[in-house]
Amino acid sequence: SKINEIKFAIDSEITTIEENAFQNSLIKNISIPIHVKMIGDYTFHICQQLQFIDIPINSELQIIGNYAYSESSIKSITIPLHVSKICKFAFASCDMLQNVEIPKNSKLDRIDSYAFYQTSIKEIFIPTNVKYIGENAFSSCKQLKNVKVHINSQLKIIDNYAFSFTEIENITIPDNLIQIGDHSFYNCNNLKTIEISDNSSLQVIGKNAFFGTLIEQISIPSKVQELKEGWCNNTSYITKINVNLNNPVYSIYKDKFIIKKSSPAKQNIDELVFCVRNIKKINIPDFIEIIGSYAFDNCKQLKSVNFTDNSSLQKINKRAFSNCGIEKINFPKNLTHIAS
């Protein structure tokens, strides 16, 4: 479309801007009428001249549709108070988008998959009512350093790859969160601090959740039921761990190991899940039957691994000792399986 200017009457009664309405047009700015409740799918998709969007403070807007502004040239956006959902790819690949303003009393409930993928935002505020941050929602936001989560956040799920490939330096996990998805903070190469309180409702930490980060310490709260295989993969700097004493699945051993029962049917703890990354020499406890995947991954100072004659070890899982500095190891007699 060659449309380059759009004006609505000041007292316009329009309530919906439907999908594809101004897609790939040459408009440079637009004022959204007060009574518009939905901006439809692809409405401003590939509007590469669009720079300014005026949305009145008393706007009734509730939904920003799929791909609504994707691949446009907008530089900033204010999310109106009543918006409850930012849909998939809504602002994806808006390379020039640097500023997203969300009011503290926002009604925003859901930020869908790829909503702000590959934008240039430097910080984002997650208001109280947001319960879901979708897959890749902020992935590849190469300038994103600061994620502010409301102190009373109701956030339940951070989905797969949600903050991957960003520059965030620290994150506070809200107490209501139950799931950190696979690769959520994958290759966040500046992420050094993750705060998880004892009151956390966290239940699951996904595969490669902290891959490539600089995290130095981590706490496993009481309600965590699953640390997925590889959750600790390529975490080279974790030297301090804590497991809540009330956690029924995981325990801490000598402040160096996270251990657990490999299955509910087991009577006793039998699996070594994780070891601090600065260990130089270890004596594997006799009761350990399984060394879990990535348990000693990137323990680069580890030179010596010892087993006693009474060792119960039967199985070493995938990449348990990958990227270690081990010079010599004598396997115990009961060992029957070494994974690739």
Side-chain angles (χ1 to χ4, degrees), residues 134-326:
E135 182 178 352
N136 283 283
F138 296 96
S139 178
S140 298
C141 293
K142 297 294 179 65
Q143 297 185 50
L144 179 59
K145 290 186 177 181
N146 192 6
V147 179
K148 298 178 181 178
V149 183
H150 196 284
I151 192 170
N152 296 319
S153 172
Q154 298 302 306
L155 186 62
K156 299 288 185 183
I157 295 174
I158 298 175
D159 214 338
N160 303 340
Y161 291 94
F163 292 97
S164 61
F165 299 100
T166 62
E167 297 297 310
I168 60 174
E169 298 173 352
N170 57 74
I171 187 76
T172 298
I173 301 300
D175 286 348
N176 288 300
L177 193 78
I178 60 174
Q179 179 179 319
I180 297 175
D182 299 347
H183 304 85
S184 288
F185 299 96
Y186 184 86
N187 268 335
C188 291
N189 296 322
N190 291 324
L191 180 58
K192 192 172 183 177
T193 305
I194 180 166
E195 297 182 22
I196 307 175
S197 80
D198 286 339
N199 297 320
S200 173
S201 299
L202 188 63
Q203 298 177 19
V204 178
I205 299 178
K207 296 178 181 179
N208 296 310
F210 306 116
F211 182 101
T213 66
L214 302 178
I215 293 172
E216 296 177 348
Q217 62 182 57
I218 192 166
S219 295
I220 308 301
S222 62
K223 294 182 180 178
V224 168
Q225 301 171 10
E226 184 179 11
L227 300 173
K228 288 190 177 182
E229 182 184 74
W231 72 278
C232 58
N233 184 14
N234 200 27
T235 51
S236 303
Y237 300 95
I238 298 178
T239 58
K240 186 176 180 181
I241 53 176
N242 180 59
V243 179
N244 190 289
L245 294 173
N246 295 317
N247 189 296
V249 179
Y250 297 95
S251 304
I252 194 167
Y253 183 78
K254 293 188 174 181
D255 294 326
K256 297 183 184 300
F257 304 141
I258 296 176
I259 55 179
K260 71 165 188 173
K261 294 180 183 179
S262 59
S263 71
K266 284 284 184 178
Q267 294 296 314
N268 300 306
I269 287 171
D270 65 326
E271 182 173 351
L272 194 157
V273 175
F274 179 86
C275 178
V276 292
R277 296 324 196 200
N278 62 341
I279 199 163
K280 297 178 180 179
K281 178 181 178 180
I282 55 171
N283 296 307
I284 303 296
D286 290 347
F287 60 84
I288 293 298
E289 297 177 14
I290 300 170
I291 296 178
S293 298
Y294 303 95
F296 295 92
D297 176 67
N298 272 287
C299 289
K300 294 180 180 179
Q301 299 178 56
L302 179 59
K303 302 295 183 182
S304 175
V305 181
N306 300 311
F307 302 92
T308 69
D309 292 338
N310 298 321
S311 174
S312 302
L313 188 68
Q314 299 175 22
K315 187 176 182 180
I316 298 176
N317 282 340
K318 182 173 67 178
R319 298 181 64 83
F321 292 98
S322 59
N323 298 312
C324 289
I326 299 172

